[in-house]
Structure formats: C-alpha cells, structure tokens
Amino acid sequence: MAEQARPHGAFDAPSDAHDPIRAGYVLRLGDDSLILGQRLSEWCGHAPSVEVDLSLSNLALDLVGQATLLLGAAGDADTLAFKRDVLDFRNCLLVEQPNGDFARTMVRQLLFSTWQHLLYQRLAVGTDEQLAGIAAKAVKEVAYHRELAGEWVVRLGDGTEESARRTADGLDWCWRFVPELFEVDAELEEACRCGLAVDPRSFEEEYRASIAAVLQEAKMAQPADQRPILGGRRGHHSEHLGHLLAIMQYLPRTYPDAKW
Amino acid sequence: MYTTDLTKQPGKPDNVKPIGPAEDSALVAAFEARVAADEFIEPKDWMPEAYRRTLVRQISQHAHSEIVGMLPEGNWITRAPSLRRKAILLAKVQDEAGHGLYLYCAAETLGTSREEMIEALHSGKAKYSTIFNYPTLTWADIAAIGWLVDGAAIMNQVPLQRTSYGPYARAMVRICKEESFHQRQGYEAMMELANGTPEQKRMAQDAFNRWWWPSLMMFGPPDENSPNTAQSLRWRIKRETNDELRQKFVDITVPQAEYLGLTVPDPDLKWNEDKGGYDFGEIDWDEFYAVVRGEGPVARERMTARREAWESNAWVREAAAAHEAKRRERVAA
Ligand SMILES: [Fe+2]
Ligand SMILES: [Fe+2]
Ligand SMILES: [Fe+2]
C-alpha cells in the first residue's frame, strides 16, 4: 500500500513518515464499523418487516460509509478491507458475532452503538483533525443507531414472553464481549498518551448507567458479570470472522487484477 | 415497474369485468369523463369496482415486485467487490424497500390492508414480476439488473407518472427518479466489467445473455394476448401497450450494448429503417407463462425466503404490537 500524503492531524508525524500508532487506532475504529456493517447487511431482504429492512440497511450503509473514511485514513480503504486476513483485523469481538435472531442483533447494536456514540462524541472534539471530522459526521448517525436499538430492546424486552426470552438470550450471548470495549492495551495507551485516542474507561460508568437504564425500561434483569472474552484488538478473533471475510473478500481475492 | 398484467392464461380476461349494471350509469359516465380529461382520481372519489380491483392488483403486484426484487440483489451485498460498490448496492436495495413501502401505502388507499396483500403474495395468489425468478450467479448480474431491469422498469413507469389514480401517479414520480439513478449505476458497473479483464468481460457477456430475454418479458404478454390492456388504456391506468414499451426498450438498449462491446443474444436482431426501430426475435412465451405460473428457476427460493422472513419473525411484530398495547394502557391509566 502506497503511503500517500494524507492530511494528518497536529499530533502526527510528518505525512511521509509511517505512524503505526495512529494507523493502528484508526484501523480499530474502521474495522469495528466495517464488520458490523457487513453483519447488518446480511439481514437485507429478510427482516421482520419492510420498515425494519429499511432501518437495518440504513445502519449498514452508515457503518460502511464510516469504514470507508476510517480505513482511508489508515491507508487504501479497499486494500485494507479486502486483502487482509483474520490476524490483521482489529475489530472488537462483539461486532463480528453472528446476527442470531432479531433480538440478538438489536442487543448487539445497543451495546456497540452506545459505546461508539460515547466515544465519537469525544473524538469529534479531539485534536486529530481528520479523525475529529470523521467522528463529527458519524456521531449523528450513531446517535440514531443507539436510539433505534434502544427502542427495539425496550419493545422486545417488554413485549411478549417469547420476545423477552429471546432478548435475554441475546444479552447473555453478547455480554461477555463488553469488557473488551473498555480494555486498554499498550497500543491504545500510547494512542491516548499522544492525544489521538480517547481512553474508553473515561466513559465506562456512563456507558454502564445508560445500558442499565435501557434494560430497566425493557423490564429486563441486569446481566451478571461473565468471564470476559478478549483478543480482537490483537487479531485473535472468534471462529466467525474467518467465514465473514471469506464471503466479503471473495471477489477481490479471486480476481486480484480486476477493478470493479 | 413490474406492472404488466400477469393473468394466468392468455386470452382469459378473468380480472376486469365489464362495468356491471349495479353501478349507476351517471356515476360511471362522470368518472369516465374525468379520466378522459386527464384528471386524477383520488381515494375518496367514486370509482367503478373493476377499476378499484384492477388498481389494487396492479399496485400490489408492483409493491411485491419491489420487495421480492430485494432478494436477487441482496444476494450480492455481502460479496460486493469494493466498499463503494457495497454502499451503492446497499443504497439501491434500500431504495427498492422504500418503493415497496410507498406502493403498499398507495394500494392501501383503495381499502386493502398490507397484511391482506402480503398474505396474497405468500399464498401464491398475488403475482410479482417474472424477472425476479432468475438467479444472480455472478457480480455482473448485479450490473445487468441495474442496467436492464431498472431500465425496463423506467420504461414501464414513466408513463405511469400520468396514470389516472392520484396516489399511484405520485408514488411513481418519486420512484422513477430513483430508478433512473439505479439504471445509470448499473450501466456504469457494466462498463467497468466490459472494459475489464478477460474474466470480467466473460462475466459481463454471460450476464447479458441470461438477462436480455427475461428483461424483454418484463413488459408482459404481446398485445394480442393482453386481455386487459384495452380497458386499462381506456381508464388511463396504462398509457402505452406492452409491445410499444418493449419496442422502445429494445431501441434504446441495443446501442447501449454496442457501446459496451457486448453482443445482443438474438440472431434475428436487425435495424428496420422503415419503422425506425429494431426487429427482434420471437420471445419464448412458453417460458414466460411458465414463470408466471411460478415455475421460474428460483421461484421456490424466492417465495421460501419471503415466507421465512415473515413467519420466523412473526414474534417481532407480535412483540411490537404487545408493547404498544401495554404502553397505551399505561398512558390511559
Ligand atoms: Fe419498480
Ligand atoms: Fe424500485
Ligand atoms: Fe430500482
């Protein structure tokens, strides 16, 4: 991938030098959006109603758009999306979880979008100009994702017996992946130190309170802590990601010389 | 698009009955005069029962086509070859869902509920466009659908912007804008393939070969076997006949294919100077009627997917209704 001179922010090294800390951080954010966008697009044409189909594809479209900008800030967006293998993906494990039923999809969305919203609010006023610009645009989209997912979790949690059971199952499935969202490893710590990244622990309390409020409105029990599953940020993913990539990347990999 | 009349057999006008004696002839005369003067008929206006029935059938068929049409293209969203193509395709399929929604709403103004219409689709009673019973085998099929299927849709729908029923005409105005956008994007995607690697060129020609004839079938049976055309023209539900529209489509599309360097899969295709249009080969009407009967190559897959999406998610719709009821009760309390 050619290191193009891109408009970097104040804290970056000169644009002709590689900045692995920045690229790594932006990649985490871009991969989160890309993989969740890919997951949501699997629903297309199969949702519970035309209206839900519209909202899910709307979410997927926003996320793919974010991924395009974020991966573009880390290198060539298409090369990064279609030519990396599992070990080089930096997304959190939550977003690669299979859709399951609609309840699990909505719980996953709530858990991720709430985190993404709190993070992007902060990044939008951050010091890296390019990242702040992307976050400022995305934060409005993400606010809507958070709201939509929250409304559905409330509806399903406080709907019928069946929907309540399915929503509890969805929460049970996803809850183990929440601690990873607040994990600060050496790489993230470095990115925080240079003022590029936001330390997620700074909004963990707000996050937990927000999720608890939605669950309460949904008349759902607060989930018990589960043993955290970690590894996504280091390229150690679930078995599911390889299959997702096999589908997503098949054309550019089969026809490496083709342009589309 | 997808508004052509899909009666089960040619020559049997089982859908549009002549205006019955029960209907007040003065009302009928006034209605017909308004239609002849190109006035829009609105939901609260008096209309002949047969007009209402024809419209419900046509609009709901159109709506179902938009929704079923999401499946062949949805099949490629997860495999779109670049982020840009993925976003374009997602946005396109989202537009089609929106079209389905406006059209269901337009049909509901005629007194048939969306549930009834969906039930009719799932039971096989209602039809949808034959074109969506063909599979999307390669990425080039997505380009071909945009170019040809959306292209045929525009041809069909532009005249419907002046159809006599107001809500339908207005839905069409909005839909047509988006369909022409889809058509341009499809053509552009096809151009990339036609100018691409040998493998991409092969994909492009193969997709064109498979989609050409089904696209021509989208305009419906030939005029001599289109029993309801005369009545629909008289009521200005339709503004041009199937064959007229089909001819227009061929005349516009053949030069586009030539520009791409693709070969039209029709040995009988040739320019006719006298009529100022192309002569083209005989359409396989047996295949067309078989597909209308539900025997298309992936008809079962399409209907199974729709039914499964509807039935396996029934609990979601029930939960939403139950929640809404609880909420209202709480507000009332
Ligand atoms: Fe259409
Ligand atoms: Fe459409
Ligand atoms: Fe379209």
Side-chain angles (χ1 to χ4, degrees), chain B residues 1-2 62 66 95-97 99-100 150 153 157 175 179 182:
Chain B
M1 85 173 119
Y2 333 126
H62 190 164
E66 302 283 354
D95 286 348
E96 307 301 2
H99 299 171
D150 287 82
Q157 287 174 184
I175 289 174
E179 302 295 17
H182 300 164

Side-chain angles (χ1 to χ4, degrees), chain B residues 13-174:
Chain B
D14 58 346
N15 290 308
V16 181
K17 303 263 171 355
I19 296 160
E23 287 178 339
D24 185 323
S25 58
L27 284 174
V28 172
F31 168 85
E32 297 216 325
R34 286 185 64 197
V35 168
D38 274 337
E39 275 181 48
F40 284 127
I41 304 300
E42 296 300 333
K44 290 198 177 105
D45 297 343
W46 186 89
M47 62 187 84
E49 259 322 291
Y51 177 85
R52 184 186 300 275
R53 269 203 312 278
T54 303
L55 274 171
V56 168
R57 191 185 65 242
Q58 179 169 327
I59 301 172
S60 66
Q61 185 174 295
H62 190 164
H64 297 327
S65 302
E66 302 283 354
I67 300 303
V68 177
M70 294 168 71
L71 296 169
E73 294 187 284
N75 183 36
W76 280 90
I77 291 177
T78 55
R79 292 179 290 171
S82 70
L83 294 172
R84 175 170 165 262
R85 293 287 174 206
K86 193 187 287 293
I88 289 174
L89 186 55
L90 260 168
K92 185 197 179 206
V93 179
Q94 190 183 34
D95 286 348
E96 307 301 2
H99 299 171
L101 208 53
Y102 315 145
L103 288 163
Y104 281 129
C105 292
E108 282 186 315
T109 64
L110 292 157
T112 306
S113 73
R114 196 183 337 167
E115 283 65 30
E116 288 173 86
M117 291 184 263
I118 288 176
E119 173 50 39
L121 173 69
H122 293 177
S123 71
K125 218 178 101 202
K127 299 291 171 194
Y128 57 92
S129 177
T130 51
I131 195 78
F132 299 121
N133 293 308
Y134 293 87
T136 46
L137 303 181
T138 71
W139 172 252
D141 290 37
I142 297 308
I145 287 180
W147 169 34
L148 301 172
V149 175
D150 287 82
I154 295 160
M155 206 59 75
N156 246 326
Q157 287 174 184
V158 163
L160 291 176
Q161 297 179 90
R162 295 174 298 122
T163 193
S164 58
Y165 189 57
Y168 192 26
R170 288 187 289 274
M172 276 306 126
V173 171
R174 189 161 170 190

Side-chain angles (χ1 to χ4, degrees), chain A residues 34 38 41-51 53-54 57-58 60-61 64 67-68 71 77-78 81-82 101-103 152 154-156 158-160 162-163 166 219 247-248 250-252 255 257-260, chain B residues 67 70-71 74 76-88 90-91 93-95 97-98 100-101 104 114 139 192-193 197 199-200 203 305-306 309-310 312-313 315-320 322-323 326 330:
Chain A
L34 176 64
Q38 176 74 5
S41 70
E42 293 170 9
W43 270 104
C44 188
H46 306 278
S49 70
V50 186
E51 286 84 350
D53 237 314
L54 277 165
S57 55
N58 201 7
L61 199 53
V64 171
T68 305
L71 296 183
D78 280 327
F82 295 99
D101 61 12
F102 183 66
W152 269 112
V154 168
R155 242 176 243 134
L156 298 175
D158 184 25
T160 61
E162 181 181 5
S163 70
R166 286 174 181 270
K219 305 217 163 40
I247 292 171
M248 184 174 82
Y250 122 83
L251 272 174
Y255 305 100
D257 303 326
K259 287 211 283 290
W260 307 93
Chain B
I67 300 303
M70 294 168 71
L71 296 169
W76 280 90
I77 291 177
T78 55
R79 292 179 290 171
S82 70
L83 294 172
R84 175 170 165 262
R85 293 287 174 206
K86 193 187 287 293
I88 289 174
L90 260 168
V93 179
Q94 190 183 34
D95 286 348
L101 208 53
Y104 281 129
R114 196 183 337 167
W139 172 252
E192 194 77 49
L193 298 174
T197 64
E199 291 99 330
Q200 286 176 304
M203 253 182 231
R306 283 314 313 159
W310 190 250
S312 71
N313 289 305
W315 66 271
V316 176
R317 298 187 302 274
E318 283 156 21
H323 179 78
K326 285 186 202 177
R330 256 174 254 145

